[in-house]
Amino acid sequence: MKTSALARPMSIGELARETGASLRSLRHYDDQGLLASARAGNGYRTFPEAAVVQVRQIQRLIASGFTLAEIRGFPDCMRLIEGAAACPETSEVQRRRLASVERQIADLERRRARLRKMLGETHAAPPE
């Protein structure tokens, strides 16, 4: 990030460029209370420098399967620190998410086995 950007609030476009997030996503995160914006004299949203870290952490948590509602409930130790792995207050939510992902993987493995079996049976049957 440029040092000149540190001294002044960032526009939503600057924040999007820094984080790779879409303008729509940034507006949504802001509307959901995950970011704190202010309004410039022209009515446009502006964001503090810390929003870059927040957006990156939000993206990371979403990629891990968390919903915005769950992320909103996370304490600052998870939402405001880029790369934060866990806080004692979030361990239970993270365990539940992991259990859900493991159930989904098991279900996908069962489906894969069924499809493999179907394909094996189809290829083994002589054409009529």
Side-chain angles (χ1 to χ4, degrees):
M1 184 180 306
K2 300 172 192 156
T3 55
S4 62
L6 301 177
R8 62 175 177 75
M10 300 175 74
S11 71
I12 194 167
E14 291 170 319
L15 183 58
R17 281 188 296 280
E18 287 286 332
T19 62
S22 70
L23 297 175
R24 184 176 181 199
S25 291
L26 295 174
R27 286 185 193 104
H28 189 61
Y29 301 160
D30 190 28
D31 293 342
Q32 293 296 307
L34 294 169
L35 296 174
S37 68
R39 295 289 176 162
N42 60 8
Y44 293 149
R45 298 173 204 237
T46 61
F47 297 87
E49 172 194 354
V52 172
V53 169
Q54 289 174 285
V55 170
R56 288 181 180 151
Q57 185 65 358
I58 291 166
Q59 292 170 320
R60 184 173 165 271
L61 292 167
I62 289 170
S64 297
F66 292 102
T67 66
L68 292 182
E70 288 169 327
I71 295 168
R72 190 174 40 253
F74 285 173
D76 288 350
C77 60
M78 282 297 288
R79 291 188 303 113
L80 303 181
I81 301 169
E82 185 175 1
C87 298
E89 302 91 342
T90 62
S91 295
E92 185 55 37
V93 172
Q94 289 171 301
R95 282 189 193 95
R96 284 195 309 265
R97 177 60 56 208
L98 178 59
S100 173
V101 167
E102 288 173 345
R103 283 191 302 275
Q104 291 171 355
I105 289 170
D107 182 51
L108 288 171
E109 287 175 343
R110 283 189 296 276
R111 289 179 189 192
R112 179 178 60 193
R114 280 188 217 116
L115 283 168
R116 284 183 172 165
K117 183 177 179 183
M118 290 168 70
L119 287 168
E121 291 172 0
T122 301
H123 292 301
E128 294 184 20

